[in-house]
Amino acid sequence: MIRYIAFAALLATSAQAADYLPPPGDAWATHTPAQEGFDAAKLQAAIDFAVAHETKLSPELDGVIDQRDQRITIPLQFAKEPFSSPIGPLTVHAPANGIVIRHGYIVAEWGDVHKVDMTHSATKTFLSSVAGVAFDKHMIRSVNDRVIDCVQPTPDFMLPHNRPITWDEMLRQTSGWVGTMWGKPWWADRPGEHSWTELAKGPPPVGKEWKYSDVRVNALALALTYIWKRPLPEVLKQYVMDPIGASDTWHWENYDNAWVTIGGQRMPVPPGGGHWGGGMFINARDLGRMGLLGLNNGKWGSKQILSARWVKMARTPTAQEPDYGYMNWFLNTGQKMFPAARADSVAFIGNGDNIVFIDYEHDMVAVIRWIDDKQKAEFVRLLENALRH
């Protein structure tokens, strides 16, 4: 059944529904479904659907292995890739869980929303937010500047093929960057029909082809570490997570071998996902805060955490892949991803699936964790159908 958390009376009376934001900590005010315009039975049906369609990352072995044990399922999921061995932490994830938020208030929760779990490629949204802060502080003067003009961290960045690559192309996953990051070569990441398909094709043209690639994402993370000259988790905490009142339970885990020395200081370089382990470990409530930041176009109360200009760029479709903006802003262009939601809806999505769905039309955020990827559109349809106004 839908769980309702006790009202934080002072907060509920001092804020209006349209502008309420949860304070730091766990005193997040709640409203009933009826108060926020939901049909309670239909909302419960959406939640029941999410729980009933918990992901099975290795469905062929259902009943043979623990489907929640990512120490087994993730290596099996990517076993056909060369260089697929994990080099970062993997954990057993919680059962399906999530939150529905409207006008800032929690309307419903299910499962263990405090469980700190891997979030896989939703990590990319945190990575691009660190880039956004750098842009807003003019550490990156223009997203059309070449990355090599700002950082020269490795011989791979110095390759003639990689020299023209811009920040915008890296953020949109159109860079075509080639090289090896932390022992993982570019051609081995989602190689296609055969393990050698991308290698046989050769380096892709810079800026011309969209390809979902964690190797290239990790190259961006290294470049940003050189820009900041600080560990990126520290930057994220100072400029994003603390200002939005996130808990201290999240942690951004790097690979065992992902370290670099800058200015004499040895520091970790975190990845943009959990492909080989690691990435962002976070609970559903903190993901909900990140969703509210996106819903409010980078603003948290009176403070602009990410500039409206940056969020607009993040929400601008990529020419080669109109359903993708900056990582990891998945767009509902043409209502292809979520036919039941308006075209301006967006989502942060990671393997598993870990989803933060943002509905600007209805001032709503939903966090859906560990749902079968093929069922995410149907969950959104049920959720939208539960709204009466």
Side-chain angles (χ1 to χ4, degrees):
M1 295 296 292
I2 297 174
R3 295 205 310 269
Y4 305 111
I5 301 171
F7 278 98
L10 176 61
L11 294 170
T13 56
S14 63
Q16 299 299 313
D19 61 8
Y20 172 77
L21 287 170
D26 225 24
W28 194 325
T30 66
H31 276 174
T32 66
Q35 283 178 294
E36 290 301 334
F38 286 94
D39 180 301
K42 290 182 177 180
L43 180 57
Q44 185 63 54
I47 293 169
D48 291 344
F49 179 87
V51 172
H53 290 88
E54 183 176 324
T55 190
K56 293 180 174 64
L57 291 175
S58 296
E60 301 84 358
L61 294 174
D62 195 26
V64 178
I65 64 172
D66 180 355
Q67 291 288 340
R68 294 171 183 161
D69 191 344
Q70 295 169 104
R71 297 168 299 181
I72 301 172
T73 58
I74 295 301
L76 287 174
Q77 188 178 28
F78 295 106
K80 293 182 179 179
E81 297 184 3
F83 299 89
S84 62
S85 299
I87 51 176
L90 292 162
T91 60
V92 179
H93 72 73
N97 60 89
I99 309 175
V100 175
I101 303 163
R102 194 168 192 212
H103 301 133
Y105 293 99
I106 291 177
V107 178
E109 294 185 298
W110 63 98
D112 186 355
V113 297
H114 293 95
K115 175 66 163 64
V116 176
D117 261 340
M118 296 181 72
T119 195
H120 293 278
S121 281
T123 305
K124 293 173 176 60
T125 308
F126 296 92
L127 180 64
S128 67
S129 296
V130 169
V133 176
F135 174 80
D136 292 340
K137 289 182 170 296
H138 308 293
M139 299 165 73
I140 297 173
R141 293 171 300 175
S142 168
V143 293
N144 296 313
D145 285 348
R146 299 190 311 168
V147 177
I148 197 64
D149 292 337
C150 304
V151 292
Q152 297 183 9
T154 71
D156 287 341
F157 270 87
M158 299 295 290
L159 292 172
H161 176 84
N162 292 334
R163 286 179 173 270
I165 293 171
T166 67
W167 293 102
D168 186 80
E169 289 163 344
M170 295 202 86
L171 287 158
R172 294 191 181 281
Q173 302 228 48
T174 61
S175 71
W177 187 93
V178 299
T180 299
M181 287 298 306
W182 318 124
K184 309 295 185 182
W186 65 274
W187 54 267
D189 184 352
R190 299 168 177 86
E193 184 179 2
H194 303 290
S195 61
W196 41 262
T197 298
E198 289 295 310
L199 181 60
K201 284 169 56 180
V206 171
K208 301 297 183 182
E209 177 184 297
W210 185 87
K211 174 70 184 294
Y212 203 83
S213 166
D214 281 319
V215 170
R216 292 172 183 140
V217 170
N218 293 341
L220 172 63
L222 179 59
L224 286 170
T225 301
Y226 272 83
I227 281 280
W228 281 99
K229 298 179 174 60
R230 295 174 58 191
L232 298 186
E234 290 183 6
V235 176
L236 182 70
K237 177 177 172 59
Q238 178 180 351
Y239 292 105
V240 180
M241 301 303 277
D242 283 356
I244 67 174
S247 73
D248 291 327
T249 62
W250 65 271
H251 46 102
W252 194 355
E253 296 287 344
N254 59 297
Y255 303 141
D256 299 337
N257 60 343
W259 294 83
V260 67
T261 300
I262 301 175
Q265 180 184 353
R266 187 170 182 262
M267 62 186 70
V269 182
H275 192 145
W276 299 290
M280 177 62 73
F281 289 67
I282 193 169
N283 68 40
R285 282 201 167 196
D286 283 343
L287 283 175
R289 289 175 183 270
M290 198 67 182
L292 286 175
L293 183 65
L295 180 68
N296 292 308
N297 292 309
K299 194 173 184 180
W300 194 267
S302 61
K303 188 170 184 179
Q304 196 76 43
I305 308 298
L306 296 168
S307 68
R309 182 184 178 192
W310 178 264
V311 174
K312 182 179 180 181
M313 289 190 293
R315 292 177 60 189
T316 299
T318 297
Q320 298 86 348
E321 180 53 64
D323 298 333
Y324 200 75
Y326 280 173
M327 66 176 70
N328 212 21
W329 291 67
F330 283 91
L331 312 179
N332 199 30
T333 307
Q335 296 177 286
K336 285 186 286 184
M337 182 172 291
F338 302 115
R342 206 167 65 178
D344 64 348
S345 301
V346 303
F348 312 144
I349 302 177
N351 189 21
D353 274 353
N354 287 267
I355 302 170
V356 180
F357 171 69
I358 301 173
D359 178 344
Y360 294 97
E361 178 185 12
H362 297 117
D363 197 13
M364 178 171 64
V365 171
V367 177
I368 315 102
R369 306 202 74 179
W370 312 116
I371 187 172
D372 184 341
D373 178 72
K374 294 178 182 179
Q375 305 301 330
K376 62 181 183 293
E378 177 62 10
F379 172 83
V380 168
R381 186 191 72 79
L382 292 169
L383 179 64
E384 297 285 346
N385 188 53
L387 278 167
R388 293 184 300 202
H389 57 82

